[in-house]
Amino acid sequence: MNSLRQWWSLPVDYGWNVAYARSQQALHVTRILIGILCFVYAAAAVIALAIPGLGDSGPGQWALWSTIVTILPLGVAWLIGGWPSWRMSIAFVLYADIVLAAVLLTVDEPSEMLPMAALFTVMGSYVVGFHGPELFTAHHLFAFVTVAVLYASAMVDDPAQRLRTTLYLVMLILVMFSAPLICHSFLMLLRRDATGAFYDPLTGMQNRRGFDAAIGNLDRRPGTDAVVTAVVIDIDNFKAVNDRFGHEHGDTAIRLTASRILDVFPAPAVTVRLGGEEFAVVCLGGLDSVIERSEQLRIRLCDATDRSPLTASIGVAHAVVEARGVEAGIDELLGRADKAMYWAKRLGGDRVAQCSDPVPTSPADER
């Protein structure tokens, strides 16, 4: 029971799951495979329509034709589109479950359709890979209810084959419920341990490895260039804070800085603690908006009510990043923002400097 409670309470970050799959070069292949499987589902529905006596009923024909008409464009979307958002992913799971249940429950010959309920396992594999215990449980409860109704119909429709129908049910329970539950709980535990390698334990922000994995998950149109802005933040004279107040207070100051960065640059901006007292942000959006938010962050960091008010040197850079070289483009952009940050330090710190070639400029200088 304790293990079950632990499994249920495990946190799940859909965005991180997608970003990790992308960083391992697995997301593109997975998307293509899902698109192909959509076409296979459509082909199965066409074959079912052609089998005499299987799709003769009006509701059964309607369910099969609806499957064909809706799943073909869905397959095209998977092949040529980007990876779906969290909401669209859940909608995809609901669609697949409802369509499959409609076909199973309306097509004639329930005893023959009962083994076909194993197709719920296909969608279950997708849920295991990208979603958490809540959707996993909802999917399998829906599948269980569908199988129960189908089993009852088969027992009534064909009493002579009750023993075979019961055998089908036992096999379905093993295929659809037992093995996926074991695999899902084991995978969730592994994922929990893996996320520790991607997040900074002090601040909860992504570390550099997690940052690299999340860069590909920026909310941009796939296959298109994008205007990206990078911000590098470095706390001024942080060693003096540690020397005066102690390392424990220094850790508190780091956590407070991270919290204020996340407040000013919420998701979908990608934030990272690069190490020590240095942080970075990468986001889509206009340069003026990011500079304005950087100024807000600079002011919030220097809060007179804090035990040790902090100042920070902040460098900002922006560029059009090519779709084919996102990682390399953002690394170069971070390098430019880092140079702007050091320029702000040379000017005395507590300011925002913008990287412009050849010399970074500071809004404070313009004033």
Side-chain angles (χ1 to χ4, degrees):
M1 183 60 69
N2 187 47
S3 298
L4 184 62
R5 189 181 301 109
Q6 183 184 24
W7 165 74
W8 181 260
S9 62
L10 284 173
V12 177
D13 186 341
Y14 173 78
W16 182 88
N17 292 340
V18 173
Y20 180 75
R22 182 182 282 112
S23 70
Q24 302 301 312
Q25 309 300 317
L27 200 66
H28 180 68
V29 174
T30 302
R31 181 170 55 80
I32 292 176
L33 286 175
I34 294 175
I36 292 173
L37 287 175
C38 288
F39 290 115
V40 173
Y41 265 87
V46 171
I47 295 172
L49 282 170
I51 296 176
L54 193 60
D56 292 345
S57 68
Q61 286 190 349
W62 180 88
L64 289 170
W65 277 112
S66 296
T67 300
I68 296 169
V69 170
T70 57
I71 206 168
L72 288 175
L74 186 61
V76 173
W78 274 105
L79 290 176
I80 67 176
W83 193 267
S85 65
W86 175 75
R87 292 183 184 276
M88 291 301 296
S89 179
I90 292 179
F92 172 63
V93 175
L94 294 177
Y95 160 82
D97 283 353
I98 291 171
V99 166
L100 178 57
V103 170
L104 293 174
L105 297 176
T106 58
V107 172
D108 295 333
E109 304 295 337
S111 59
E112 294 185 19
M113 297 304 296
L114 184 61
M116 304 301 174
L119 291 174
F120 277 113
T121 307
V122 179
M123 183 50 60
S125 301
Y126 174 83
V127 174
V128 166
F130 294 96
H131 290 278
E134 292 87 353
L135 189 61
F136 179 88
T137 302
H139 164 76
H140 282 84
L141 282 176
F142 183 83
F144 176 80
V145 171
T146 303
V147 168
V149 173
L150 195 60
Y151 172 73
S153 300
M155 294 291 280
V156 173
D157 184 71
D158 194 358
Q161 299 296 328
R162 288 182 175 176
L163 190 58
R164 185 182 65 178
T165 301
T166 302
L167 176 62
Y168 287 159
L169 178 65
V170 173
M171 293 172 62
L172 279 172
I173 291 173
L174 292 174
V175 172
M176 292 175 56
F177 303 107
S178 301
L181 180 60
I182 295 172
C183 292
H184 183 66
S185 57
F186 184 67
L187 182 62
M188 288 288 292
L189 292 172
L190 288 177
R191 186 177 293 157
R192 181 195 62 182
D193 293 338
T195 54
F198 286 77
Y199 288 90
D200 171 48
L202 179 62
T203 63
M205 298 178 79
Q206 295 177 103
N207 58 23
R208 187 56 198 248
R209 184 179 180 186
F211 180 76
D212 291 339
I215 283 301
N217 202 37
L218 281 171
D219 190 16
R220 60 187 181 86
R221 294 180 60 187
T224 61
D225 299 344
V227 177
V228 181
T229 305
V231 182
V232 173
I233 305 117
D234 190 89
I235 301 174
D236 297 325
N237 302 314
F238 187 70
K239 183 177 183 300
V241 175
N242 277 330
D243 292 343
R244 180 179 179 184
F245 298 99
H247 288 282
E248 184 176 348
H249 176 75
D251 289 346
T252 301
I254 289 291
R255 285 194 293 267
L256 183 61
T257 301
S259 175
R260 289 172 177 171
I261 291 173
L262 291 171
D263 286 342
V264 176
F265 292 99
V270 180
T271 55
V272 59
R273 182 188 180 196
L274 295 173
E277 64 274 17
E278 190 172 4
F279 304 83
V281 180
V282 172
C283 54
L284 303 178
L287 177 63
D288 292 341
S289 172
V290 174
I291 289 179
E292 181 180 349
R293 284 192 282 170
S294 298
E295 283 287 354
Q296 292 175 5
L297 175 63
R298 183 188 66 81
I299 294 170
R300 289 193 62 181
L301 287 176
C302 190
D303 191 332
T305 63
D306 293 341
R307 182 183 177 190
S308 57
L310 301 173
T311 64
S313 299
I314 302 175
V316 181
H318 82 294
V320 176
V321 176
E322 296 182 358
R324 294 185 177 181
V326 174
E327 289 80 6
I330 289 179
D331 281 343
E332 180 182 353
L333 190 59
L334 281 172
R336 293 175 56 207
D338 194 56
K339 290 180 180 178
M341 182 271 293
Y342 278 109
W343 178 258
K345 279 194 177 297
R346 286 197 294 271
L347 293 175
D350 191 21
R351 67 189 64 216
V352 177
Q354 174 189 343
C355 179
S356 59
D357 295 326
V359 180
T361 60
S362 168
D365 294 339
E366 296 174 1
R367 293 195 295 269

